[in-house]
Amino acid sequence: MWYEVKCVASLAEALAALDLARDAAGSGDRIDAILLSLALPEAPGLAAFAALRARAGGLPIVVLSDPGDEPLAIRAVRDGAADYLVRDQYHVTLLSRSLRHAAHRQTSRAALLEGERAAESSAAELASRNAQRQQAQKLESIGRLAGGIAHDFNNLLMVILTNTEFARESLTPVALPATRSALDELDEIAAAARRAAALTRQLLLFSRRHVVQPELLGLNDVVARAEAQLRRLVAAEVQLQTSYDA
């Protein structure tokens, strides 16, 4: 693999080249590795390395030190440099290999980080699915409980409706005002029981134990039933007025 080498004469030019490469990301004009001299006049020692590392965005930096400055180069490696070479003690093959290995390590590190992020995303997605499954199981349990309660309550309502009908039949032959009032009371009991039965059907729908049977609802009839109950509950001085749509 061949690399194009771009040389700059100052730290400022190097920083500008980094910014230009970052702005042109994806265009193919990228930087794979940086070879930095630790003997730049404007930023000697580790100053240039610190400035480049802050702007390099994780790019590998191979430092080049003068003979006798190996301790400085080692400090740079400890601070994050990918490798170091000593001026006049390396050849082109060694330089190429050092830069190539630095770029390869960076690519491998980036791939590893991407894999870790993908694994974290998969783990988060799995946790979310588990939470959704647990929530669905809870709702299913609540549905079964509601269905059982609705079924038992519906049986009680059938007993109420049956006995109400028996009582009504026993009072029907008697034509007295008190009997008429008692029949009205029984009608209200039966109507309330039927409304309660409608609620139990909704619970059974929630528990998926009942087939949906849509029906037309007359709002005037609902208001009329509610009016009959309210007139018995409100005080005598309270006037109750209702208005029905045609």
Short mmCIF file of all heavy atoms in Angstrom, two decimals, residues 141-168:
data_model
loop_
_atom_site.label_atom_id
_atom_site.label_comp_id
_atom_site.label_asym_id
_atom_site.label_seq_id
_atom_site.Cartn_x
_atom_site.Cartn_y
_atom_site.Cartn_z
N SER A 141 -51.61 -10.87 31.90
CA SER A 141 -52.06 -11.33 33.22
C SER A 141 -53.22 -10.49 33.74
O SER A 141 -54.20 -11.03 34.28
CB SER A 141 -50.89 -11.28 34.21
OG SER A 141 -49.83 -12.11 33.79
N ILE A 142 -53.10 -9.16 33.53
CA ILE A 142 -54.20 -8.29 33.96
C ILE A 142 -55.47 -8.61 33.16
O ILE A 142 -56.57 -8.60 33.71
CB ILE A 142 -53.80 -6.81 33.76
CG1 ILE A 142 -52.65 -6.45 34.72
CG2 ILE A 142 -54.98 -5.88 34.00
CD1 ILE A 142 -52.10 -5.06 34.51
N GLY A 143 -55.30 -8.89 31.88
CA GLY A 143 -56.44 -9.24 31.06
C GLY A 143 -57.12 -10.51 31.53
O GLY A 143 -58.35 -10.59 31.59
N ARG A 144 -56.31 -11.52 31.88
CA ARG A 144 -56.90 -12.76 32.39
C ARG A 144 -57.63 -12.53 33.70
O ARG A 144 -58.72 -13.07 33.94
CB ARG A 144 -55.80 -13.81 32.57
CG ARG A 144 -55.27 -14.39 31.26
CD ARG A 144 -54.51 -15.68 31.51
NE ARG A 144 -53.35 -15.45 32.35
CZ ARG A 144 -52.13 -15.21 31.88
NH1 ARG A 144 -51.93 -15.16 30.57
NH2 ARG A 144 -51.11 -15.02 32.69
N LEU A 145 -57.02 -11.70 34.58
CA LEU A 145 -57.67 -11.40 35.85
C LEU A 145 -58.97 -10.64 35.63
O LEU A 145 -60.00 -10.96 36.24
CB LEU A 145 -56.71 -10.57 36.72
CG LEU A 145 -57.27 -10.09 38.07
CD1 LEU A 145 -57.63 -11.28 38.95
CD2 LEU A 145 -56.26 -9.20 38.77
N ALA A 146 -58.93 -9.63 34.74
CA ALA A 146 -60.14 -8.87 34.45
C ALA A 146 -61.21 -9.76 33.84
O ALA A 146 -62.40 -9.63 34.16
CB ALA A 146 -59.81 -7.71 33.51
N GLY A 147 -60.80 -10.69 32.97
CA GLY A 147 -61.76 -11.59 32.37
C GLY A 147 -62.43 -12.49 33.40
O GLY A 147 -63.64 -12.72 33.36
N GLY A 148 -61.62 -12.99 34.34
CA GLY A 148 -62.20 -13.83 35.39
C GLY A 148 -63.17 -13.07 36.27
O GLY A 148 -64.26 -13.57 36.60
N ILE A 149 -62.78 -11.85 36.66
CA ILE A 149 -63.67 -11.04 37.49
C ILE A 149 -64.95 -10.70 36.74
O ILE A 149 -66.06 -10.75 37.29
CB ILE A 149 -62.94 -9.76 37.94
CG1 ILE A 149 -61.77 -10.12 38.87
CG2 ILE A 149 -63.89 -8.80 38.64
CD1 ILE A 149 -60.91 -8.94 39.27
N ALA A 150 -64.80 -10.32 35.47
CA ALA A 150 -65.97 -9.96 34.67
C ALA A 150 -66.91 -11.14 34.52
O ALA A 150 -68.14 -11.00 34.59
CB ALA A 150 -65.54 -9.46 33.30
N HIS A 151 -66.37 -12.33 34.35
CA HIS A 151 -67.20 -13.52 34.21
C HIS A 151 -67.99 -13.78 35.49
O HIS A 151 -69.22 -14.03 35.45
CB HIS A 151 -66.32 -14.72 33.86
CG HIS A 151 -67.09 -15.99 33.70
ND1 HIS A 151 -67.86 -16.25 32.59
CD2 HIS A 151 -67.20 -17.09 34.51
CE1 HIS A 151 -68.42 -17.45 32.72
NE2 HIS A 151 -68.03 -17.98 33.86
N ASP A 152 -67.32 -13.72 36.64
CA ASP A 152 -68.01 -13.96 37.92
C ASP A 152 -69.04 -12.86 38.19
O ASP A 152 -70.15 -13.14 38.67
CB ASP A 152 -66.99 -14.01 39.06
CG ASP A 152 -66.06 -15.21 38.94
OD1 ASP A 152 -66.44 -16.18 38.23
OD2 ASP A 152 -64.96 -15.17 39.53
N PHE A 153 -68.67 -11.61 37.89
CA PHE A 153 -69.60 -10.51 38.13
C PHE A 153 -70.82 -10.62 37.22
O PHE A 153 -71.95 -10.30 37.61
CB PHE A 153 -68.87 -9.19 37.90
CG PHE A 153 -69.67 -7.98 38.28
CD1 PHE A 153 -70.04 -7.76 39.59
CD2 PHE A 153 -70.05 -7.06 37.33
CE1 PHE A 153 -70.78 -6.64 39.96
CE2 PHE A 153 -70.79 -5.93 37.68
CZ PHE A 153 -71.15 -5.73 38.99
N ASN A 154 -70.59 -11.08 36.00
CA ASN A 154 -71.70 -11.24 35.07
C ASN A 154 -72.68 -12.29 35.58
O ASN A 154 -73.91 -12.16 35.42
CB ASN A 154 -71.16 -11.63 33.70
CG ASN A 154 -72.18 -11.43 32.60
OD1 ASN A 154 -72.71 -10.34 32.43
ND2 ASN A 154 -72.49 -12.49 31.86
N ASN A 155 -72.18 -13.35 36.22
CA ASN A 155 -73.06 -14.35 36.81
C ASN A 155 -73.92 -13.74 37.92
O ASN A 155 -75.12 -14.05 38.03
CB ASN A 155 -72.23 -15.51 37.37
CG ASN A 155 -71.59 -16.34 36.27
OD1 ASN A 155 -72.06 -16.33 35.12
ND2 ASN A 155 -70.52 -17.03 36.60
N LEU A 156 -73.32 -12.87 38.73
CA LEU A 156 -74.10 -12.20 39.78
C LEU A 156 -75.18 -11.30 39.19
O LEU A 156 -76.30 -11.23 39.70
CB LEU A 156 -73.16 -11.38 40.68
CG LEU A 156 -72.11 -12.17 41.47
CD1 LEU A 156 -71.18 -11.22 42.20
CD2 LEU A 156 -72.79 -13.11 42.46
N LEU A 157 -74.84 -10.62 38.11
CA LEU A 157 -75.82 -9.75 37.47
C LEU A 157 -76.99 -10.55 36.90
O LEU A 157 -78.15 -10.10 36.94
CB LEU A 157 -75.16 -8.95 36.35
CG LEU A 157 -74.15 -7.88 36.80
CD1 LEU A 157 -73.48 -7.26 35.59
CD2 LEU A 157 -74.85 -6.80 37.62
N MET A 158 -76.69 -11.74 36.39
CA MET A 158 -77.77 -12.57 35.88
C MET A 158 -78.73 -12.97 36.99
O MET A 158 -79.95 -13.03 36.79
CB MET A 158 -77.18 -13.82 35.21
CG MET A 158 -76.43 -13.54 33.92
SD MET A 158 -77.41 -12.70 32.65
CE MET A 158 -76.81 -11.00 32.82
N VAL A 159 -78.19 -13.22 38.18
CA VAL A 159 -79.04 -13.55 39.32
C VAL A 159 -79.92 -12.34 39.67
O VAL A 159 -81.13 -12.48 39.93
CB VAL A 159 -78.18 -13.96 40.53
CG1 VAL A 159 -79.04 -14.15 41.77
CG2 VAL A 159 -77.43 -15.25 40.22
N ILE A 160 -79.32 -11.14 39.66
CA ILE A 160 -80.08 -9.92 39.98
C ILE A 160 -81.18 -9.71 38.95
O ILE A 160 -82.35 -9.44 39.29
CB ILE A 160 -79.14 -8.71 40.03
CG1 ILE A 160 -78.18 -8.85 41.20
CG2 ILE A 160 -79.93 -7.41 40.14
CD1 ILE A 160 -77.11 -7.77 41.25
N LEU A 161 -80.86 -9.84 37.67
CA LEU A 161 -81.85 -9.63 36.62
C LEU A 161 -82.98 -10.67 36.69
O LEU A 161 -84.16 -10.33 36.52
CB LEU A 161 -81.17 -9.69 35.25
CG LEU A 161 -80.34 -8.46 34.85
CD1 LEU A 161 -79.55 -8.73 33.59
CD2 LEU A 161 -81.24 -7.24 34.65
N THR A 162 -82.61 -11.91 36.96
CA THR A 162 -83.62 -12.97 37.03
C THR A 162 -84.58 -12.73 38.18
O THR A 162 -85.81 -12.80 38.02
CB THR A 162 -82.94 -14.33 37.18
OG1 THR A 162 -82.08 -14.56 36.07
CG2 THR A 162 -83.98 -15.45 37.24
N ASN A 163 -84.03 -12.41 39.37
CA ASN A 163 -84.91 -12.18 40.52
C ASN A 163 -85.71 -10.89 40.36
O ASN A 163 -86.85 -10.80 40.85
CB ASN A 163 -84.07 -12.12 41.80
CG ASN A 163 -83.61 -13.50 42.26
OD1 ASN A 163 -84.35 -14.25 42.89
ND2 ASN A 163 -82.39 -13.86 41.89
N THR A 164 -85.16 -9.91 39.68
CA THR A 164 -85.93 -8.69 39.42
C THR A 164 -87.12 -9.00 38.53
O THR A 164 -88.24 -8.50 38.74
CB THR A 164 -85.03 -7.65 38.75
OG1 THR A 164 -83.93 -7.36 39.61
CG2 THR A 164 -85.80 -6.37 38.47
N GLU A 165 -86.91 -9.84 37.53
CA GLU A 165 -88.00 -10.22 36.64
C GLU A 165 -89.07 -11.03 37.38
O GLU A 165 -90.27 -10.84 37.18
CB GLU A 165 -87.45 -11.01 35.46
CG GLU A 165 -88.47 -11.32 34.38
CD GLU A 165 -89.04 -10.06 33.75
OE1 GLU A 165 -88.35 -9.03 33.74
OE2 GLU A 165 -90.20 -10.12 33.27
N PHE A 166 -88.62 -11.91 38.29
CA PHE A 166 -89.58 -12.69 39.10
C PHE A 166 -90.42 -11.76 39.97
O PHE A 166 -91.65 -11.91 40.08
CB PHE A 166 -88.84 -13.69 39.98
CG PHE A 166 -88.28 -14.86 39.22
CD1 PHE A 166 -87.27 -15.66 39.77
CD2 PHE A 166 -88.74 -15.19 37.95
CE1 PHE A 166 -86.76 -16.73 39.07
CE2 PHE A 166 -88.23 -16.27 37.25
CZ PHE A 166 -87.22 -17.03 37.81
N ALA A 167 -89.76 -10.79 40.60
CA ALA A 167 -90.49 -9.85 41.46
C ALA A 167 -91.47 -9.02 40.64
O ALA A 167 -92.59 -8.73 41.07
CB ALA A 167 -89.50 -8.95 42.20
N ARG A 168 -91.05 -8.64 39.44
CA ARG A 168 -91.94 -7.84 38.59
C ARG A 168 -93.17 -8.63 38.18
O ARG A 168 -94.29 -8.10 38.14
CB ARG A 168 -91.16 -7.37 37.35
CG ARG A 168 -91.78 -6.20 36.65
CD ARG A 168 -90.94 -5.77 35.45
NE ARG A 168 -91.37 -4.48 34.95
CZ ARG A 168 -92.51 -4.26 34.31
NH1 ARG A 168 -93.33 -5.26 34.09
NH2 ARG A 168 -92.82 -3.03 33.90
#
